[in-house]
Amino acid sequence: MKQLTLSNLIGRCIVSCMLVLLTQLALSLVPRFLSASSLLIQLPLSALLLLVVIGLGGRIRRVLGVHASAPAFVFFSILFVWCVYVLVIRKAVSHVMDVVFNGEVAILIIGLCSILKSDPGLEMYGSSEDRCIEDSTSGVNSQNQELELSDSFLGKRVRHCRSCKAYIRGLDHHCPAFGNCIGQKNYILFVILLVGFIITEGSYVACSTQFASKFGIFNGTMSETSLFANLAVSTTTFSILQLVWQVPFLTWHAYCICFNIRTDEWINWKKYPEFQFVDQSQPGQSCREVRFTNPYDRGILQNVKEFLALTG
Ligand SMILES: [Zn+2]
């Protein structure tokens, strides 16, 4: 929701592209020097290297004052993996698998573009002025305004996103990777996109496994030792590492859908009065115990139906 100038946007895209190249080339060093090691050894090392590169990238960003764009980083990562697929992996997979994988990548890019510009359920404040609520203040004022509004919007589940400084109906969380809030209007798209990422990465791992078995990769008899072969291995470990956090993340969202609760509500339930249940079962006690309750939970079947009906 922050408006960037075109030159600023292009600059961030270039930085993101360079960061993707740096990350992927750094990851390719693991199979380059540990080609005889199994994937189980390469995976944690790749994860460690990924954290080091991200940490270094953050430090360089602070020192040089250059900014990357998380959605552009995601986009260029997809593009990089797809390039490795076309140049290396593709020759080892069947025609059907080739069509399926290319289709998945195309859908993923369309989905990414769609969620970037989607309306998460932005609430307008003051219909006469027809403007978005945006608090220019921060700190205590912001918190008070937020609490007041959470009362006035009770039932509509309007919550405040600090990243966008905006009020979103049915806010789940702010997603830096997709550069947008995830709210009532784009929650279904978000879940579909998350499933799409998991399926595409799973397909890539399946394709690269076919490539690996053909060229003896992962079992110490690797016949291809070029940079491309190393990239085939490193992009596979990269995809597996993505699956490692995305599968539990999707499971969490399935839980949220089944019990009709949003991530923001789960974390910040003490801010929202409707989630607070005051236990008065023991009148003799001086301090009252506030417990969590979910007034929106109407049973799994009804909750799933409500989720499928989410559009506006
Ligand atoms: Zn946001």
Side-chain angles (χ1 to χ4, degrees):
M1 289 168 202
K2 269 184 246 171
Q3 296 297 317
L4 295 169
T5 60
L6 187 64
S7 58
N8 208 327
L9 199 66
I10 293 168
R12 286 184 181 213
C13 284
I14 293 168
V15 172
S16 304
C17 185
M18 286 167 67
L19 211 58
V20 167
L21 288 173
L22 184 73
T23 307
Q24 296 294 343
L25 289 174
L27 284 176
S28 74
L29 294 176
V30 176
R32 168 74 180 83
F33 292 106
L34 294 167
S35 59
S37 306
S38 72
L39 198 62
L40 280 174
I41 294 171
Q42 292 191 33
L43 264 173
L45 285 172
S46 299
L48 199 67
L49 194 62
L50 203 59
L51 290 174
V52 170
V53 172
I54 290 169
L56 277 175
R59 186 155 288 190
I60 290 167
R61 189 188 67 183
R62 278 193 292 277
V63 171
L64 300 177
V66 290
H67 292 274
S69 155
F73 185 87
V74 174
F75 173 78
F76 287 119
S77 294
I78 296 171
L79 209 61
F80 188 92
V81 172
W82 182 74
C83 285
V84 175
Y85 170 80
V86 170
L87 295 170
V88 188
I89 309 275
R90 195 182 184 190
K91 60 188 173 187
V93 301
S94 67
H95 181 66
V96 175
M97 194 64 208
D98 183 43
V99 171
V100 169
F101 183 73
N102 282 309
E104 285 171 358
V105 172
I107 292 168
L108 212 57
I109 290 171
I110 293 167
L112 186 61
C113 294
S114 303
I115 207 157
L116 272 169
K117 58 182 182 181
S118 66
D119 171 18
L122 192 65
E123 275 295 319
M124 310 304 273
Y125 179 69
S127 54
S128 58
E129 291 174 37
D130 197 30
R131 66 181 173 86
C132 166
I133 307 169
E134 285 194 14
D135 53 353
S136 53
T137 56
S138 58
V140 179
N141 273 352
S142 170
Q143 279 181 351
N144 288 342
Q145 193 180 15
E146 191 177 327
L147 285 169
E148 282 170 26
L149 284 160
S150 71
D151 276 336
S152 64
F153 285 139
L154 200 68
K156 289 171 74 181
R157 303 176 83 168
V158 175
R159 319 293 181 199
H160 182 252
C161 174
R162 289 183 188 278
S163 301
C164 301
K165 295 186 172 65
Y167 285 83
I168 309 295
R169 186 181 291 200
L171 173 74
D172 185 82
H173 68 288
H174 181 85
C175 182
F178 295 155
N180 203 350
C181 281
I182 304 305
Q184 183 164 317
K185 287 188 175 178
N186 62 358
Y187 194 36
I188 292 178
L189 179 61
F190 169 76
V191 173
I192 291 171
L193 200 52
L194 191 55
V195 172
F197 267 93
I198 290 169
I199 291 172
T200 310
E201 284 153 1
S203 300
Y204 186 74
V205 174
C207 292
S208 61
T209 304
Q210 284 182 28
F211 174 83
S213 60
K214 193 172 179 179
F215 293 99
I217 299 170
F218 300 150
N219 61 7
T221 58
M222 190 164 154
S223 57
E224 289 241 346
T225 52
S226 65
L227 174 67
F228 281 151
N230 291 329
L231 285 173
V233 179
S234 61
T235 47
T236 304
T237 52
F238 179 73
S239 299
I240 294 171
L241 290 173
Q242 296 302 311
L243 288 168
V244 165
W245 73 265
Q246 284 170 356
V247 172
F249 195 50
L250 179 66
T251 309
W252 162 251
H253 282 288
Y255 173 87
C256 286
I257 291 161
C258 288
F259 293 96
N260 203 350
I261 185 138
R262 304 285 176 263
T263 305
D264 174 73
E265 293 170 344
W266 178 263
I267 295 168
N268 299 312
W269 67 272
K270 286 186 178 173
K271 274 192 337 190
Y272 306 126
E274 71 263 43
F275 289 97
Q276 295 167 24
F277 169 73
V278 180
D279 188 3
Q280 293 171 322
S281 59
Q282 293 159 311
Q285 286 188 345
S286 54
C287 58
R288 293 184 307 168
E289 192 181 351
V290 179
R291 290 183 183 173
F292 172 81
T293 183
N294 182 8
Y296 303 110
D297 184 5
R298 295 177 181 88
I300 292 175
L301 198 65
Q302 189 59 32
N303 293 339
V304 172
K305 274 185 187 173
E306 273 187 36
F307 164 74
L308 294 174
L310 285 180
T311 49

